[in-house]
Amino acid sequence: KHLLQENVHYYVGDNGPVLIDPARGVGRKGQVLGEGLWQALNFRLRGTAEQPTRTAVQITIDEIVAKVQRDGGDIAVYTGTAGDEQDFKRYGELGLSVVRVRPDTPVLRRDATVWFARRNDSIEAMLRDVLTVHEDGRPVVIVAQNDAEAIYISRKLAELGIDRDTLLARDSVEKERLVVATAGQRGKITVSTSRLGRAVDIMLGGDPEVITNLRLRELNIDPTAPDFHSRRDAVYREVKAKTDSERDALAAKGGLLVAIRGLRDSKRTEMQVRGRAGRNGAPGESKLYASAEDEVLRSPLELTTETVRVEDTSIRVDINPTPLSERAAAALERVAARMSANRTFVAEDRA
């Protein structure tokens, strides 16, 4: 067993391992681990160890805020997911106040959370719901906890004969742009991680601008041709009419479903993921499939001594796993909140 797991903590690129940012789901190229871990990882993967690195300078959030305030400056930040009581407590400790601004567009998104005893039970239940929604033509975005789980879920969908797009930390920005542009189309299933959890606007029916550019490539329309702009406008009108029609039809069926596998490390990051559905006043739905085996409910000691894995057991969609009772779910949610708060405190203390 190893402390660092491939497709969980890092992926292997052309030039060796690349760390994965768990909050954003992207590779952190250029960043390394300290205390010999980076050299040990490279030696295990490549048989060679890079020269040790050292931290030149580091600064904490507390120090940044204190410096700005000491210099007479002001701090202003805006977010659509300010978080829960722990986050607000943290803002207060930094001497910052929070002002709530009512959105100018009503939020029509429906949120739900369902708890299971085992991780595989939650995956089974999620796939059942995904297939039901898929049969109705609604688009679905599945947000896994890490690349390993996303690959596992994508493979299970393939075994069921379901087409899907998969976006991982190793994938390019260009692929992300194309995946996001088409994720809201009729019947589309997209599997990813927290990479699609923030700053992503998935449009019901698809993004007409990006789809138009794809269509122009398929038609081999030369961008230097004298009639390029007129031909592009004609293609855009055709694409826009189709995406608008799909948008209205999909909205009437309930909009985009964001299926979230596993608890997040804070309420703020959970809401960022949920917020991919129901954008700009459109209807949508988010559903979190939590389990008592999720990492947030495990102690730091367990996370450093046990392999983070996805069990390769048979996933069956012809049975319906039984969710935990409301009482058991409420108890686990309280435990998860405490574990998340403790883990956040440790992370900030070591920043």
Side-chain angles (χ1 to χ4, degrees):
K1 294 181 179 180
H2 300 281
L3 172 64
L4 300 175
Q5 300 298 310
E6 185 175 355
N7 293 322
V8 176
H9 304 105
Y10 70 91
Y11 68 86
V12 180
D14 295 334
N15 299 314
V18 179
L19 294 178
I20 297 176
D21 184 339
R24 298 170 54 229
V26 296
R28 299 189 293 188
K29 294 184 178 180
Q31 293 193 18
V32 299
L33 298 168
E35 301 179 350
L37 282 175
W38 189 246
Q39 286 70 37
L41 177 61
N42 274 273
F43 188 81
R44 176 164 69 88
L45 295 174
R46 307 164 68 188
T48 60
E50 297 182 353
Q51 289 296 318
T53 59
R54 66 183 182 87
T55 302
V57 64
Q58 63 182 15
I59 189 170
T60 66
I61 295 176
D62 298 52
E63 291 169 336
I64 294 175
V65 173
K67 184 179 186 305
V68 172
Q69 293 174 339
R70 186 170 60 251
D71 295 341
D74 295 320
I75 298 176
V77 181
Y78 71 91
T79 176
T81 53
D84 55 13
E85 293 181 2
Q86 288 294 333
D87 292 305
F88 281 91
K89 180 181 178 182
R90 181 67 175 136
Y91 304 144
E93 292 172 349
L94 293 171
L96 304 175
S97 60
V98 178
V99 177
R100 296 180 183 270
V101 179
R102 185 182 299 276
D104 60 359
T105 304
V107 177
L108 304 181
R109 187 186 69 243
R110 306 178 307 281
D111 297 331
T113 299
V114 59
W115 282 84
F116 296 88
R118 297 174 58 252
R119 178 184 302 182
N120 268 23
D121 288 344
S122 67
I123 295 177
E124 289 175 1
M126 180 183 69
L127 289 180
R128 280 180 58 88
D129 290 349
V130 166
L131 293 179
T132 299
V133 170
H134 176 66
E135 290 175 357
D136 199 31
R138 291 172 57 193
V140 180
V141 171
I142 299 174
V143 182
Q145 289 197 302
N146 49 55
D147 279 10
E149 191 173 76
I151 293 170
Y152 176 75
I153 292 171
S154 181
R155 187 169 71 244
K156 292 304 174 184
L157 288 170
E159 291 173 0
L160 294 170
I162 303 297
D163 291 332
R164 73 273 172 236
D165 287 336
T166 305
L167 182 68
L168 306 174
R170 69 179 68 245
D171 292 323
S172 66
V173 174
E174 176 63 17
K175 180 177 179 179
E176 176 182 338
R177 190 173 70 91
L178 297 178
V179 168
V180 170
T182 58
Q185 290 182 318
R186 180 189 303 273
K188 178 71 74 171
I189 295 180
T190 305
V191 183
S192 188
T193 62
S194 295
R195 183 162 184 174
L196 290 185
R198 58 185 295 185
V200 172
D201 193 4
I202 298 173
M203 302 173 64
L204 274 183
D207 185 331
E209 289 286 349
V210 177
I211 295 174
T212 294
N213 293 333
L214 290 174
R215 183 65 177 149
L216 291 173
R217 290 183 203 170
E218 293 173 357
L219 296 173
N220 293 320
I221 297 179
D222 185 359
T224 62
D227 62 343
F228 171 75
H229 291 292
S230 62
R231 296 183 69 181
R232 186 192 186 283
D233 290 343
V235 172
Y236 176 80
R237 287 193 296 270
E238 178 183 343
V239 170
K240 186 70 163 57
K242 182 179 179 180
T243 56
D244 286 352
S245 175
E246 277 199 9
R247 180 198 62 205
D248 296 340
L250 294 173
K253 292 184 176 183
L256 174 71
L257 168 64
V258 174
I260 309 166
R261 220 316 295 163
L263 294 171
R264 268 37 196 178
D265 58 0
S266 73
K267 192 67 174 179
R268 179 175 58 83
T269 54
E270 176 191 320
M271 294 309 296
Q272 286 176 343
V273 177
R274 289 187 185 273
R276 298 318 95 202
R279 306 283 291 176
N280 301 315
E285 179 184 2
S286 76
K287 192 168 184 178
L288 192 157
Y289 298 81
S291 85
E293 295 179 341
D294 288 344
E295 291 181 15
V296 171
L297 292 169
R298 299 166 65 190
S299 69
L301 179 61
E302 288 179 310
L303 292 177
T304 56
T305 57
E306 293 187 8
T307 301
V308 179
R309 68 188 188 281
V310 177
E311 297 176 7
D312 191 12
T313 55
S314 176
I315 294 293
R316 298 183 57 187
V317 296
D318 58 335
I319 60 174
N320 191 9
T322 303
L324 295 177
S325 67
E326 292 184 7
R327 181 177 179 181
L332 284 171
E333 286 180 355
R334 289 193 295 270
V335 172
R338 289 197 298 271
M339 296 286 286
S340 177
N342 292 337
R343 189 168 285 118
T344 300
F345 173 78
V346 170
E348 290 179 347
D349 188 51
R350 295 176 178 173

